[in-house]
Amino acid sequence: MSKKDPIKNIRQLLSDSSSFTREEIEDAVDEVLKMKYFVKENREMLIRRIEELYTIRQDEFGTILKEDENNPWLNEKRAEIDFENGFWGRYREYLEIEKNFAPDVINKLDRITDSILDNLFDPTINAAINKKGLVVGQVQSGKTANYTGLICKAADAGFGLIIVLAGIHNNLRSQTQIRIDESFLGFDTQHTRAFDQRGIQIGVGDPYFGPPIVAHSLTSSIEKGDFTQGAANALGLNFNTSEPIVAVIKKNPHVLRRIHQWLSAQATEDSELGRVIRNKSLLLIDDEADNASINISNDPETQSSINGWITRILNLFGKNAYVGYTATPFANIFIPLDDQNLFPRNFIKNIPAPSNYIGPEKVFGFSPLEEDEISNDVLPIVNRINDYQDFVPDRHKKDDQKPSSLPESLKRAIRCFIITCAIRRLRGQTNVHNSMLIHVSRFVLWQDHISELVSNQFLYYRRGIDQNDPTILNEFKKTFEQDENGYRSYVTVSQQILDSKHNNLDSQIQVHQWSEVLQHLNDAASRIEVKSIHGGSGEALDYFGHKNGLSVIAIGGNKLSRGLTLEGLSVSYYLRASRMYDTLMQMGRWFGYRGGYVDLCRLFTSRELNEWFCHITEASEELREEFDYMTDVAGSTPEQYALKVRTHPGVLQISATNKMRSATTVQISWAGRLVESYEFKKDVSVIDNNFRNTQNFIQTLPSNFKSKDNAFVWYDIPAEQVINFFEGMQSVENLKKAEPRKLIQFISVQLKNQELTDWRIALMNKPKAKTSKFIICDKEVEIGQWKRTEDDKNSNEYIYYLRKSHIISPKDEFIDLAENEYQNAFELTKIDRARKGKDGEPAYPNGQIVRNKIRDPKNPLLIIYLLDPDNSLTEYPMEKGINPFVGYAISFPQSKYNAPVSYAVNEELLDRFDIVEEDFEDYGEDED
């Protein structure tokens, strides 16, 4: 174990407390600076880094639990389990001393792993029992560290066999095994799988962490070290040993069948259960639980192969526990609610990411920024590119003509990576990993071809740097310090982060001079390798074997897209499209922790993908908000959460159709939702009908309205009048959630429960705009039309589809609230933001809070907009002088009954049911 890290030495001088005064930190730093290794270290920088470490916070996790099957046991047995001197104790110390985890993050890990274990069962009891749960984190946020902690505690408590299902590719399985070697076993399974004194000790096996603890591995970390019966038998391992046994295996039917056969040989015959293992408790950890584990069989009477083998392995054990881990739980929530399908019936836990996590809300936010827009909430690291169509067209085929050169954007990305590596060296980050990801095609032939082009371009740069070529060095200098056509330089990005609310995200952010960076450019470039990573390439990302750091440009597709951690990932060039929320989010390898180089990260991607990620960010956030809401509702169960998410109008384009077989009848409830129309027919007769229908509706409203700056607002309008309005509206015939007929059904059902009875109506009036005539209280009034940009991807000569799928401006949803209601909502929003660790004052209340906690179930709000038809595409212009489009939004309050409306959905149409999740709270202001 290295003792030459000043941070580790300072932490050892500090106690186990999670907070210190500035004076205590300074004393510890001064003590370490007396050591000969560290006399040249920068005192102020060390103090800042320690202060940063001790200010990292993580919110408490939430749990949705099936109480009637929960039997807490851990506290009663804790005194009999030696966690402190066991696998957990040394792992905890390893995270603190070697991995430099923040104290608060370690404490939260301790608590959540206790909670998961407590929701399982005492592995030493004599009973037949099975439990199933799901743990939801965020992409690259530390799920492996979490389930490794659970493995350590489970082994200490007496679970005899632990199986980790680690993805579907060898490289992810191998990477996961290395993590288990370092963090649980303490020895390198490349060299020995049974523990002995001659084994190569690594990670927690370092004598610094105490005497060795015996555990056995049925698998090894070599690329082909997956489970085989021959290797398992060669161990000479007594299966009935009291020492824990672990296996890290792929989700592959052949591997699963092999381990099932081997385990069956260890079982005994039981008159009721068949062949069963009674003397050993199984903990099965399913990493990336939404991938491959779910039953995707077309035949409801049979299971898909991988799902079938997983359930058969579980059923071999009288005492078995299944815990799935995922960042994208969409598919898991849609699977049938039974054990065969691994539904997490006992618990679902949501783990908030620590405050230093760089997640989708910090990278993308909830709506795309315009070219020169600067946001205080989003890191300025995304570069939208548009020069790639001749390089890798969006829907290219395997045998299409391949490109002969790289686009300028990819050349710039390569320069950025070299510069980032150089600046990290300048900052003293020398023995670290650096990775660049290029993910533009799923075809191996394309990956290899692009790898060759990238390699040639990189060699051109490396030679130029080595030979001090002034032309090439000037290119790098411009990339470092000059903004150009939407690209922000290193100087600009670092300064913008320092000037934003993220300035405390990383103590090492600073603006450097080119002369400083230039000194490290050659050293950085000389260490970089270019690798094509796929099944047939023979290349691997062997971070573990490069103790002094691996710098790599990795070109790949699926093998780089899920679960695999790219160490030190700083620059990504990503063009791979997917319309599935889970697939697209999992491809975001750039999320994670970037201590020391937050401001040096860059993502190059298309505007369309940027917008997609914004949509997914909001959909994922809403899933978590729904979770938080249900944890506050007494008696909520995983089944109720699953049902609530299923009834969410709009989450169905979230996963592959074959993972959602049970969703062919879709139940929709709009309770607590914001519903918007965003797709309109460019049919003059339909436009005229809807406009006249709206004029007639407004003319029937009473005289006691409120006139506001940009709206007329009516109160206590009977639901029957609103239903009449919707009956007169014509819409696009599809499955969208704002379809008037379905809204009428929902309103009618809720009226039986004495809800949605008294409506508020807002007719929005754009000042200083083109107008249309309305009769309000017998007077002719000019109502201003609103501009909403047309989405060129989803619109055509027949359809006007609003960009971002939004008609509403966020503040419009609160236009009917009394001042005290608005202030109450604003205060609740501030409390909610503080609870989630979000900085800064909100600009307006959170819509979900208003709908769930402020609006009376009797009082929904209908907002009507007239949309200027001239805003449709010039490619398909509307006739001059036609009436405006009529659009609407409805803010539905929460319901005490929440009666859903059923949709009978043809399975083939599932992937067209709401292309995006539309309930965005942070949509931008009106477009001029």
Side-chain angles (χ1 to χ4, degrees):
M1 177 181 158
S2 170
K3 303 291 190 305
K4 295 185 179 180
D5 184 336
I7 300 297
K8 292 173 186 173
N9 282 267
I10 295 166
R11 288 191 69 175
Q12 286 173 286
L13 288 176
L14 296 169
S15 66
D16 290 336
S17 171
S18 59
S19 62
F20 295 94
T21 65
R22 168 89 179 192
E23 187 178 12
E24 288 171 324
I25 290 173
E26 287 177 350
D27 288 345
V29 169
D30 289 339
E31 198 62 35
V32 166
L33 288 176
K34 293 175 185 176
M35 301 177 189
K36 63 178 182 180
Y37 293 128
F38 309 127
V39 289
K40 294 182 180 179
E41 292 285 343
N42 183 314
R43 180 178 185 271
E44 191 55 37
M45 179 59 75
L46 289 178
I47 291 170
R48 281 170 56 195
R49 288 181 62 189
I50 290 292
E51 284 182 325
E52 173 186 58
L53 193 62
Y54 283 87
T55 54
I56 292 170
R57 289 288 179 265
Q58 184 171 3
D59 289 343
E60 289 291 343
F61 62 91
T63 301
I64 295 176
L65 190 64
K66 189 167 188 177
E67 287 284 3
D68 60 0
E69 288 188 16
N70 189 47
N71 297 298
W73 64 275
L74 185 57
N75 284 341
E76 191 176 320
K77 291 289 295 284
R78 191 182 298 277
E80 300 172 31
I81 305 169
D82 191 2
F83 285 130
E84 286 308 309
N85 295 303
F87 291 99
W88 166 253
R90 69 175 188 175
Y91 177 57
R92 181 184 177 116
E93 195 171 0
Y94 172 72
L95 291 180
E96 178 185 335
I97 301 300
E98 192 64 27
K99 290 299 182 182
N100 220 16
F101 271 45
D104 190 57
V105 174
I106 296 176
N107 290 337
K108 293 298 196 308
L109 175 61
D110 194 353
R111 288 210 279 276
I112 191 171
T113 47
D114 265 6
S115 176
I116 297 169
L117 196 59
D118 199 34
N119 293 157
L120 299 179
F121 54 81
D122 177 358
T124 64
I125 61 172
N126 184 19
I129 188 168
N130 71 84
K131 292 289 182 78
K132 290 183 174 64
L134 182 69
V135 180
V136 181
Q138 295 203 48
V139 175
Q140 299 288 90
S141 67
K143 294 186 299 298
T144 306
N146 189 288
Y147 70 66
T148 304
L150 177 61
I151 289 168
C152 290
K153 286 187 176 176
D156 287 334
F159 277 87
L161 177 63
I162 297 155
I163 295 175
V164 181
L165 302 179
I168 59 175
H169 296 296
N170 280 330
N171 61 347
L172 178 54
R173 192 214 66 83
S174 176
Q175 186 182 75
T176 304
Q177 178 82 54
I178 289 170
R179 298 277 181 83
I180 298 299
D181 290 0
E182 289 182 308
S183 304
F184 172 63
L185 293 167
F187 60 87
D188 186 352
T189 53
Q190 286 200 45
H191 302 282
T192 176
R193 273 182 275 181
F195 184 88
D196 62 53
Q197 294 301 317
R198 295 163 298 168
I200 297 179
Q201 296 164 336
I202 60 172
V204 294
D206 189 302
Y208 176 86
F209 297 112
I213 312 174
V214 179
H216 308 272
S217 180
L218 298 174
T219 51
S220 87
S221 61
I222 61 173
E223 185 81 356
K224 296 185 178 178
D226 212 333
F227 179 85
T228 65
Q229 292 194 45
N233 293 332
L235 283 173
L237 176 65
N238 177 5
F239 181 76
N240 295 317
T241 177
S242 61
E243 295 149 3
I245 302 169
V246 69
V248 181
I249 63 177
K250 283 196 308 296
K251 285 189 244 190
N252 174 288
H254 305 297
V255 176
L256 291 164
R257 176 177 51 79
R258 286 201 298 266
I259 199 165
H260 179 268
Q261 288 175 342
W262 186 77
L263 290 170
S264 294
Q266 322 298 325
T268 55
E269 202 65 42
D270 183 278
S271 57
E272 293 182 13
L273 302 173
R275 292 193 67 77
V276 67
I277 297 170
R278 288 191 174 280
N279 63 342
K280 199 177 286 290
S281 295
L282 168 67
L283 171 61
L284 193 149
I285 303 281
D286 187 357
D287 193 9
E288 308 294 338
D290 61 309
N291 187 30
S293 306
I294 291 165
N295 184 18
I296 56 173
S297 170
N298 287 313
D299 183 352
E301 301 300 315
T302 61
Q303 288 174 269
S304 55
S305 183
I306 291 175
N307 176 262
W309 284 115
I310 292 171
T311 52
R312 283 195 283 274
I313 289 168
L314 288 167
N315 293 336
L316 267 178
F317 289 78
K319 297 178 288 186
N320 68 77
Y322 169 92
V323 183
Y325 277 77
T326 182
T328 47
F330 304 107
N332 305 82
I333 288 166
F334 278 91
I335 59 181
L337 312 185
D338 59 47
D339 276 4
Q340 173 176 295
N341 286 284
L342 306 177
F343 180 80
R345 73 170 194 279
N346 295 104
F347 62 84
I348 304 174
K349 294 185 186 290
N350 181 40
I351 317 173
S355 55
N356 62 328
Y357 170 71
I358 309 299
E361 74 289 345
K362 285 183 182 141
V363 176
F364 297 105
F366 299 131
S367 59
L369 300 177
E370 296 309 319
E371 286 304 329
D372 298 322
E373 187 179 353
I374 297 174
S375 167
N376 194 41
D377 297 313
V378 178
L379 294 167
I381 60 177
V382 177
N383 292 274
R384 289 200 293 260
I385 55 176
N386 55 17
D387 62 349
Y388 61 87
Q389 281 297 342
D390 293 335
F391 173 55
V392 180
D394 283 337
R395 290 173 178 79
H396 64 280
K397 303 290 192 298
K398 181 172 68 173
D399 297 321
D400 285 353
Q401 178 70 38
K402 295 175 185 62
S404 57
S405 62
L406 302 182
E408 286 305 314
S409 58
L410 183 46
K411 293 177 185 177
R412 175 181 278 152
I414 295 168
R415 293 197 299 274
C416 283
F417 182 59
I418 297 170
I419 291 170
T420 290
C421 292
I423 297 176
R424 292 195 73 189
R425 297 186 71 79
L426 169 60
R427 292 180 181 178
Q429 301 163 25
T430 50
N431 296 332
V432 296
H433 301 305
N434 293 288
S435 300
M436 175 179 177
L437 164 67
I438 299 175
H439 186 161
V440 295
S441 175
R442 66 188 177 93
F443 301 120
V444 167
L445 288 173
W446 279 72
Q447 291 166 25
D448 283 342
H449 178 75
I450 290 165
S451 181
E452 186 175 342
L453 295 178
V454 168
S455 185
N456 290 339
Q457 185 67 38
F458 170 70
L459 289 174
Y460 167 75
Y461 284 146
R462 192 173 72 184
R463 280 195 302 268
I465 293 167
D466 185 51
Q467 296 167 8
N468 287 316
D469 184 309
T471 303
I472 290 175
L473 291 180
N474 191 51
E475 277 191 76
F476 278 85
K477 185 171 188 271
K478 283 177 64 178
T479 302
F480 175 76
E481 61 185 20
Q482 288 186 23
D483 299 350
E484 182 182 15
N485 298 327
Y487 166 77
R488 293 186 179 103
S489 71
Y490 280 76
V491 171
T492 297
V493 168
S494 297
Q495 190 60 58
Q496 281 184 5
I497 297 176
L498 286 172
D499 293 339
S500 77
K501 73 175 190 179
H502 296 298
N503 60 3
N504 60 354
L505 194 60
D506 185 347
S507 61
Q508 297 184 67
I509 297 173
Q510 57 183 299
V511 179
H512 298 282
Q513 299 298 315
W514 173 245
S515 57
E516 301 173 300
V517 178
L518 182 58
Q519 294 175 37
H520 297 273
L521 209 60
N522 197 25
D523 273 351
S526 65
R527 287 169 165 76
I528 295 172
E529 305 173 48
V530 179
K531 292 176 178 283
S532 181
I533 307 294
H534 56 72
S537 69
E539 297 274 24
L541 294 174
D542 182 17
Y543 297 110
F544 183 71
H546 287 74
K547 301 301 182 188
N548 293 323
L550 172 67
S551 293
V552 62
I553 299 175
I555 298 98
N558 290 342
K559 287 194 78 169
L560 294 179
S561 71
R562 180 185 271 272
L564 189 74
T565 298
L566 296 168
E567 302 285 354
L569 178 63
S570 54
V571 178
S572 301
Y573 191 91
Y574 177 77
L575 297 173
R576 176 75 182 282
S578 167
R579 302 195 90 173
M580 304 302 167
Y581 283 8
D582 49 6
T583 304
L584 198 55
M585 191 60 95
Q586 285 288 353
M587 288 177 174
R589 299 290 91 201
W590 44 83
F591 304 130
Y593 303 95
R594 301 290 181 264
Y597 61 105
V598 165
D599 58 325
L600 310 182
C601 294
R602 299 291 182 271
L603 168 60
F604 294 81
T605 192
S606 67
R607 182 183 183 100
E608 183 181 34
L609 278 165
N610 188 174
E611 291 185 355
W612 270 101
F613 272 107
C614 290
H615 291 318
I616 301 164
T617 301
E618 183 67 25
S620 301
E621 179 71 13
E622 185 152 280
L623 206 63
R624 276 184 274 276
E625 285 187 356
E626 198 75 77
F627 187 98
D628 289 343
Y629 179 73
M630 291 199 72
T631 56
D632 294 334
V633 178
S636 291
T637 65
E639 287 97 333
Q640 288 168 333
Y641 176 58
L643 181 63
K644 190 131 194 252
V645 172
R646 287 165 200 247
T647 63
H648 189 310
V651 299
L652 284 185
Q653 178 61 16
I654 48 172
S655 191
T657 305
N658 60 5
K659 294 180 184 175
M660 294 163 49
R661 299 294 176 190
S662 64
T664 49
T665 298
V666 182
Q667 291 191 309
I668 298 299
S669 168
W670 285 280
R673 305 292 178 195
L674 175 68
V675 175
E676 302 177 66
S677 59
Y678 51 81
E679 187 172 10
F680 308 92
K681 281 187 174 181
K682 292 181 180 177
D683 180 323
V684 173
S685 64
V686 171
I687 294 169
D688 287 346
N689 171 82
N690 291 345
F691 179 67
R692 286 194 301 271
N693 179 62
T694 305
Q695 283 181 316
N696 293 337
F697 172 60
I698 295 298
Q699 193 166 351
T700 66
L701 298 180
S703 59
N704 58 338
F705 62 86
K706 285 188 179 178
S707 182
K708 306 213 172 185
D709 288 343
N710 60 346
F712 295 90
V713 182
W714 288 263
Y715 293 80
D716 300 323
I717 304 303
E720 290 72 19
Q721 278 184 260
V722 177
I723 289 173
N724 287 339
F725 166 69
F726 283 124
E727 282 178 339
M729 296 296 288
Q730 295 180 21
S731 71
V732 176
E733 294 90 357
N734 62 8
L735 299 171
K736 297 291 185 247
K737 71 183 185 186
E739 205 276 313
R741 307 298 165 273
K742 296 300 178 188
L743 291 173
I744 292 169
Q745 283 184 37
F746 177 67
I747 296 166
S748 300
V749 170
Q750 296 298 76
L751 284 173
K752 295 174 185 175
N753 299 320
Q754 300 303 307
E755 294 187 346
L756 309 185
T757 53
D758 303 297
W759 285 63
R760 282 93 183 270
I761 312 295
L763 175 62
M764 304 306 295
N765 179 21
K766 174 78 171 175
K768 299 177 183 177
K770 186 198 302 185
T771 61
S772 299
K773 290 181 172 59
F774 272 67
I775 303 297
I776 298 178
C777 299
D778 299 327
K779 291 182 181 177
E780 189 174 270
V781 179
E782 298 285 345
I783 301 296
Q785 299 175 14
W786 300 79
K787 293 185 177 182
R788 291 292 183 262
T789 303
E790 189 164 23
D791 184 318
D792 59 354
K793 294 287 192 301
N794 293 304
S795 298
N796 53 44
E797 59 187 305
Y798 308 108
I799 296 296
Y800 172 31
Y801 192 107
L802 304 189
R803 193 167 144 237
K804 304 176 185 174
S805 309
H806 276 293
I807 193 169
I808 195 171
S809 298
K811 294 178 184 177
D812 294 354
E813 191 179 356
F814 321 121
I815 199 162
D816 62 315
L817 298 184
E819 181 61 27
N820 65 320
E821 291 176 318
Y822 185 90
Q823 288 305 322
N824 187 15
F826 195 80
E827 290 304 315
L828 289 172
T829 301
K830 288 202 291 188
I831 292 168
D832 183 64
R833 284 174 66 88
R835 182 173 63 85
K836 293 174 181 174
K838 294 182 178 179
D839 299 326
E841 186 97 341
Y844 42 79
N846 175 284
Q848 189 174 41
I849 286 174
V850 169
R851 297 189 291 275
N852 286 333
K853 298 184 179 180
I854 303 296
R855 286 202 183 283
D856 187 292
K858 295 179 184 296
N859 302 139
L861 168 66
L862 168 63
I863 312 170
I864 298 173
Y865 297 87
L866 307 180
L867 301 187
D868 186 343
D870 293 345
N871 249 48
S872 63
L873 291 173
T874 53
E875 186 180 354
Y876 307 111
M878 299 297 297
E879 297 175 29
K880 291 294 179 187
I882 67 166
N883 286 317
F885 293 93
V886 176
Y888 52 83
I890 308 173
S891 179
F892 279 112
Q894 186 58 273
S895 169
K896 294 175 183 175
Y897 301 93
N898 202 19
V901 173
S902 291
Y903 276 65
V905 182
N906 184 321
E907 201 165 78
E908 293 177 5
L909 298 180
L910 271 178
D911 65 341
R912 289 167 50 196
F913 192 112
D914 271 331
I915 291 175
V916 297
E917 169 51 54
E918 294 103 16
D919 191 3
F920 298 106
E921 306 295 355
D922 292 326
Y923 175 62
E925 295 294 341
D926 299 303
E927 298 159 26
D928 294 320

